Amino acid sequence: MKQICIIVPVYNEELSIDTFFNTFLKFNEALVDKGYSASVLFVDDGSKDKTPTILNHLITEHTNCKALIFSRNFGKEAALFAGLEHAEGDLMIPMDVDLQDPFELIFEMLTAYEKGADVVLARRANRETDTVVKRFSAQWFYRLNNKMSTLKLEENVGDFRLMTRKVVNEIVSLQENQLFMKGLMSWVGFETTVVNYSRPGRTEGKTKFNYIKLWNLAVQGITSFSTLPLKVWTYFGSFIAFISFLYGLKIIIEKLFFGINASGYASLMVAILFFGGVQLIGIGVLGEYLGRTYLESKRRPRYIIKHKIDKKHE
């Protein structure tokens, strides 16, 4: 019987955990008939509410449930990576605790796996449950990333996917500290297929991702797998230098041959402010890459586990 490990990062999810786990128990009963068994590995990302207490209570009552408790909040990307590193079994499936990743879809994923897929991606057929702003920003993130990077991300695919043990082993062997898990999980390759689904609304609690966190994640994703933002300033600077040369030549000709004075103070200030702004943007892009290189060079651990909760460590 093949073992499935469901990896669930959680942060302040005291309202959602019991509902999620009860749904998992029903799913696991149906799963046994198909020759599989499943367990859940929760990764608590430094919750401040009763999440660790609830997890401890669940694990004392159920043998197919374990948890990693972080010493503080390290972020969902680190929590997901920790889950992959500590997961046991033949197949790994990251899921959200809010039940927006439906358990029923796993049966379809298993069918695709049995046909030879090493990775089965769950792609949202629509984003009707998202706000207009989130739909628009997600659409443009995928477009920009796939234009700028050699690594193409499947649109409308999150962390919810099935991966075999050999795929996960390759992912956890990667050494980088600044994590963009969608990129890392796609970068390793392997035989990949896609299943579509309609994502339901959240059942309990509230999302912990605000627009600032989503923006930072998008920047992390683009700078992790593309150097085009750095290269573009070389081309842009060359173009501006060429235009400036032509404009300077025009001023010299007008002054020497026609006696026309150069434009005055206002146009000069506009040019100075424009080019100053362009330079600051370029320095900012350079700073993003330099900052990430600096953080990588420190080689700090991606996360710190305060303690593990399972039957072996009671």
Side-chain angles (χ1 to χ4, degrees):
M1 181 174 289
K2 290 197 172 183
Q3 303 294 316
I4 299 173
C5 182
I6 296 175
I7 301 163
V8 188
V10 290
Y11 177 66
N12 292 343
E13 293 287 1
E14 61 182 2
L15 299 177
S16 304
I17 293 174
D18 282 331
T19 303
F20 174 87
F21 195 75
N22 289 333
T23 306
F24 161 75
L25 292 176
K26 295 176 182 177
F27 158 77
N28 199 27
E29 290 177 2
L31 194 63
V32 172
D33 296 334
K34 296 186 177 291
Y36 296 89
S37 66
S39 62
V40 177
L41 175 60
F42 290 100
V43 185
D44 178 61
D45 189 22
S47 296
K48 303 299 183 183
D49 62 1
K50 297 179 181 178
T51 295
T53 304
I54 295 172
L55 291 177
N56 189 68
H57 177 71
L58 277 178
I59 292 165
T60 56
E61 294 186 348
H62 301 277
T63 57
N64 56 353
C65 181
K66 298 179 182 179
L68 306 176
I69 310 298
F70 281 1
S71 62
R72 65 169 177 83
N73 180 256
F74 286 89
K76 185 181 179 183
E77 303 298 286
L80 178 53
F81 195 92
L84 293 176
E85 279 195 309
H86 291 82
E88 299 175 355
D90 305 292
L91 303 171
M92 287 73 189
I93 303 177
M95 293 183 69
D96 288 339
V97 74
D98 54 19
L99 293 179
Q100 289 187 284
D101 299 335
F103 278 101
E104 295 79 12
L105 191 67
I106 295 178
F107 294 111
E108 193 172 341
M109 289 178 166
L110 290 172
T111 300
Y113 158 70
E114 290 166 356
K115 292 180 179 179
D118 296 304
V119 179
V120 185
L121 305 177
R123 179 172 59 197
R124 297 174 63 176
N126 58 67
R127 304 186 69 99
E128 294 178 354
T129 58
D130 290 343
T131 63
V132 174
V133 174
K134 192 171 182 181
R135 287 200 300 268
F136 177 81
S137 59
Q139 182 183 37
W140 276 100
F141 165 73
Y142 286 112
R143 286 184 180 179
L144 283 174
N145 181 85
N146 292 343
K147 288 287 186 183
M148 297 170 67
S149 175
T150 55
L151 177 69
K152 309 304 180 185
L153 297 178
E154 192 73 39
E155 291 193 27
N156 296 323
V157 171
D159 298 326
F160 186 32
R161 63 190 68 199
L162 178 148
M163 295 172 286
T164 62
R165 165 56 64 186
K166 62 182 177 180
V167 174
V168 171
N169 286 345
E170 294 300 329
I171 293 171
V172 299
S173 71
L174 300 175
Q175 298 297 308
E176 55 202 84
N177 185 281
Q178 302 299 299
L179 299 171
F180 178 62
M181 291 305 297
K182 287 186 183 68
L184 293 182
M185 291 188 291
S186 298
W187 184 85
V188 296
F190 290 95
E191 188 67 31
T192 302
T193 190
V194 177
V195 296
N196 295 304
Y197 75 108
S198 296
R199 198 177 201 203
R202 188 181 176 103
T203 56
E204 302 284 352
K206 296 181 180 179
T207 179
K208 307 305 182 296
F209 261 92
N210 54 37
Y211 288 113
I212 294 176
K213 289 183 178 180
L214 289 172
W215 168 259
N216 289 334
L217 184 62
V219 172
Q220 174 89 334
I222 291 173
T223 55
S224 292
F225 292 93
S226 174
T227 58
L228 184 61
L230 288 174
K231 295 176 181 177
V232 72
W233 292 104
T234 301
Y235 304 127
F236 186 71
S238 301
F239 174 74
I240 293 297
F242 178 69
I243 296 298
S244 300
F245 172 77
L246 294 179
Y247 185 65
L249 190 62
K250 172 180 177 292
I251 292 174
I252 292 172
I253 292 173
E254 287 179 343
K255 182 66 176 177
L256 292 178
F257 296 99
F258 302 101
I260 300 174
N261 291 325
S263 301
Y265 175 78
S267 59
L268 181 63
M269 287 301 299
V270 169
I272 291 173
L273 291 173
F274 172 74
F275 290 115
V278 168
Q279 288 174 337
L280 289 174
I281 294 172
I283 292 171
V285 172
L286 181 62
E288 283 288 340
Y289 283 90
L290 183 61
R292 298 186 192 286
T293 303
Y294 171 68
L295 292 173
E296 285 285 348
S297 69
K298 288 178 174 291
R299 307 312 301 163
R300 289 172 178 164
R302 301 179 183 94
Y303 56 86
I304 298 174
I305 296 177
K306 185 178 179 181
H307 62 272
K308 300 179 183 179
I309 308 176
D310 60 42
K311 290 292 183 180
K312 297 177 184 178
H313 294 84
E314 284 184 340

